[in-house]
Amino acid sequence: MGNMHEMKQPSAVDTATLIRRAEELRPVLRERAAGTEKLGKVDPRTVADFQAAGFFRMFQSAYWGGYQSHPADIFRVQEILAQGCPSSAWIMGVVGVHNWQLAHFPKQAQEDVWGSDAQVLCSSSYAPTGKAEVVNGGLMLSGRWFYSSGVDHCDWVLLGAAVPQEDSPFPDYRTCLVPRADFEVIEDWDVMGLRGTGSKSVQLKGAFVPDYRQLPAIASQTFTTPGLQEGTADSPLFMVPFPTIFGACITTPALGAAQAMLDLFVDNTKKATSLYTGARWAEEQATQIRISESSAEIRAARLQMAANFNVVIDKLSSGEELTLAERAQIRFDHCNLVDLAARAADRVFVAAGARSLTMDQPVQRLFRDIQAARVHAINNRTKWATVSGSASLDIFPDDMLSMFI
């Protein structure tokens, strides 16, 4: 631990450099995308590239040498990466955001993960599908947790646990930090889209989690986490509500995928002709309109994402808190942005014709990735529209999922 002070010094990497690195990696990811899908997990070279570029550090506390970047910059980088490979970008965000969450854990838990190497990664599975038993000094976890994106590349996993409370209708929900030695990865990720995320299940057979490696949900909701109190979560970034920052990680890959589809369509259309008439597609008014409409929807989504986080950080930097209604609105906005991306992508996919159906065409893979992103619970537009609308009317649901705002 003698070099800890040196390791904790924040590195100075400006936003322009990080964006440039993402743009340089975009064609590399595009070349790897088909192989990543076939592999069923992100190419290990890509994870190494993300580490070298510092993308995971954008979420990380300066205490551990992280950049604790502005969220608008984080998600701009993620979107650029998604234009190359949505699955890889998904991992950059969903694995990276655990660096943000770890900053809220007790310092001892952070030492367990990063004491020897501040680049160690964590995956997660937050739905409390396994069993949590209270024992002396902690919890005993057993059972199966699903959809742990990027788990193949991670040495730790964050698992949701629900502990029943006699005096409350709600369980005591906690996030538990578990080392790789205590869980088994189950090869069950066989899906139509986002195959490269490798969102596999993990199985535990009696893993002890000490109290200091647990983060109660109530502490996160009320901003009383150990990390905030001990100074490891010491910037406005760490005052952003967890659902707000986590939700954006699930939203952004769809925006990048839609942009990639539009770019491919424009490039192909410049030289494409009708098989029936030989007419140039580029000269058809319908084609031109579709390009304009899809471009406008994607740009609107991108600008909304950045605007939301600019407002959030401005408020938090001035000492204000986000109201529940504001948090609910942002939660719905994220879902709505995915819907905008899906509409833009669908218009392009249909316009591209039968050529887009062949499996060697990246446009169909991007389209499938967007559909996969849409079915994530965090992107359930109907669900979060109801929560946001009711919050605007001062009606706040009392179920646990609806309070994830």
Side-chain angles (χ1 to χ4, degrees):
M1 303 296 288
N3 66 344
M4 185 63 68
H5 177 72
E6 179 182 353
M7 183 176 68
K8 292 176 184 175
Q9 297 306 305
S11 304
V13 178
D14 59 57
T15 299
T17 298
L18 291 163
I19 289 176
R20 175 180 55 77
R21 290 173 181 172
E23 290 172 340
E24 290 171 351
L25 268 177
R26 180 169 48 198
V28 177
L29 298 182
R30 190 176 296 129
E31 288 296 316
R32 293 176 184 166
T36 293
E37 179 174 66
K38 185 176 181 180
L39 191 62
K41 64 181 180 180
V42 171
D43 190 313
R45 295 173 298 174
T46 296
V47 177
D49 287 339
F50 287 179
Q51 293 277 33
F55 297 148
F56 297 122
R57 287 190 178 273
M58 296 182 78
F59 294 94
Q60 194 172 29
S61 169
Y63 183 88
W64 294 102
Y67 309 150
Q68 48 191 43
S69 301
H70 193 297
D73 299 331
I74 293 173
F75 296 113
R76 179 61 184 142
V77 165
Q78 190 190 21
E79 193 217 326
I80 292 169
L81 297 174
Q83 293 169 19
C85 175
S87 286
S88 298
W90 185 280
I91 295 309
M92 176 269 179
V94 173
V95 169
V97 78
H98 302 138
N99 289 352
W100 178 95
Q101 190 176 28
L102 273 176
H104 287 280
F105 272 75
K107 194 178 294 184
Q108 186 179 355
Q110 298 178 48
E111 295 275 1
D112 285 355
V113 178
W114 290 324
S116 299
D117 181 1
Q119 292 197 97
V120 167
L121 300 175
C122 302
S123 66
S124 68
S125 179
Y126 292 113
T129 55
K131 179 183 178 182
E133 179 185 1
V134 178
V135 296
N136 186 33
L139 290 176
M140 190 68 70
L141 301 185
S142 58
R144 190 164 178 167
W145 279 257
F146 301 90
Y147 311 130
S148 188
S149 298
V151 65
D152 289 300
H153 307 289
C154 299
D155 292 332
W156 294 76
V157 64
L158 292 159
L159 299 177
V163 181
Q165 301 183 95
E166 292 183 0
D167 58 348
S168 173
F170 299 110
D172 176 10
Y173 182 83
R174 310 175 193 178
T175 299
C176 300
L177 180 62
V178 179
R180 184 65 179 240
D182 288 351
F183 66 86
E184 176 189 1
V185 177
I186 307 299
E187 297 288 336
D188 59 356
W189 186 242
D190 186 13
V191 291
M192 60 161 277
L194 291 174
R195 290 179 63 89
T197 64
S199 301
K200 304 169 184 178
S201 298
V202 297
Q203 185 82 30
L204 281 70
K205 298 179 180 178
F208 175 69
V209 182
D211 290 330
Y212 77 88
R213 281 205 256 119
Q214 301 172 34
L215 185 66
I218 189 65
S220 296
Q221 288 283 68
T222 58
F223 301 99
T224 56
T225 65
L228 288 167
Q229 296 167 351
E230 296 175 359
T232 56
D234 186 22
S235 82
L237 171 67
F238 298 107
M239 291 299 292
V240 177
F242 175 65
T244 302
I245 194 164
F246 180 76
C249 297
I250 305 299
T251 294
T252 305
L255 308 187
Q259 182 66 61
M261 286 184 65
L262 178 61
D263 291 343
L264 284 167
F265 180 71
V266 169
D267 288 345
N268 292 337
T269 297
K270 289 177 181 178
K271 55 183 179 293
T273 57
S274 170
L275 296 177
Y276 292 96
T277 66
R280 294 184 64 236
W281 280 11
E283 294 176 354
E284 293 184 0
Q285 186 182 54
T287 299
Q288 298 159 358
I289 292 173
R290 283 169 171 155
I291 290 171
S292 295
E293 290 175 338
S294 290
S295 177
E297 287 171 338
I298 296 167
R299 284 184 285 112
R302 180 181 301 128
L303 291 170
Q304 180 74 70
M305 175 71 76
N308 278 356
F309 278 112
N310 284 332
V311 169
V312 167
I313 293 299
D314 286 349
K315 289 197 71 169
L316 297 176
S317 297
S318 65
E320 298 180 67
E321 293 184 1
L322 297 173
T323 67
L324 284 177
E326 288 172 326
R327 289 160 62 167
Q329 179 65 69
I330 293 170
R331 180 81 291 285
F332 172 66
D333 278 351
H334 289 160
C335 301
N336 197 49
L337 303 190
V338 175
D339 194 62
L340 285 173
R343 280 161 43 189
D346 185 69
R347 186 183 296 109
V348 167
F349 186 74
V350 172
R355 302 172 223 216
S356 62
L357 297 176
T358 59
M359 296 303 289
D360 64 342
Q361 293 296 314
V363 67
Q364 52 77 28
R365 182 176 60 253
L366 291 163
F367 185 76
R368 288 187 284 107
D369 287 346
I370 292 170
Q371 304 314 308
R374 293 179 72 193
V375 303
H376 194 288
I378 297 302
N379 287 333
N380 185 331
R381 189 176 184 275
T382 303
K383 167 71 176 177
W384 300 109
T386 301
V387 171
S388 178
S390 62
S392 299
L393 298 168
D394 296 326
I395 302 170
F396 294 94
D398 58 5
D399 67 280
M400 187 169 65
L401 182 59
S402 294
M403 291 308 295
F404 192 74
I405 55 176

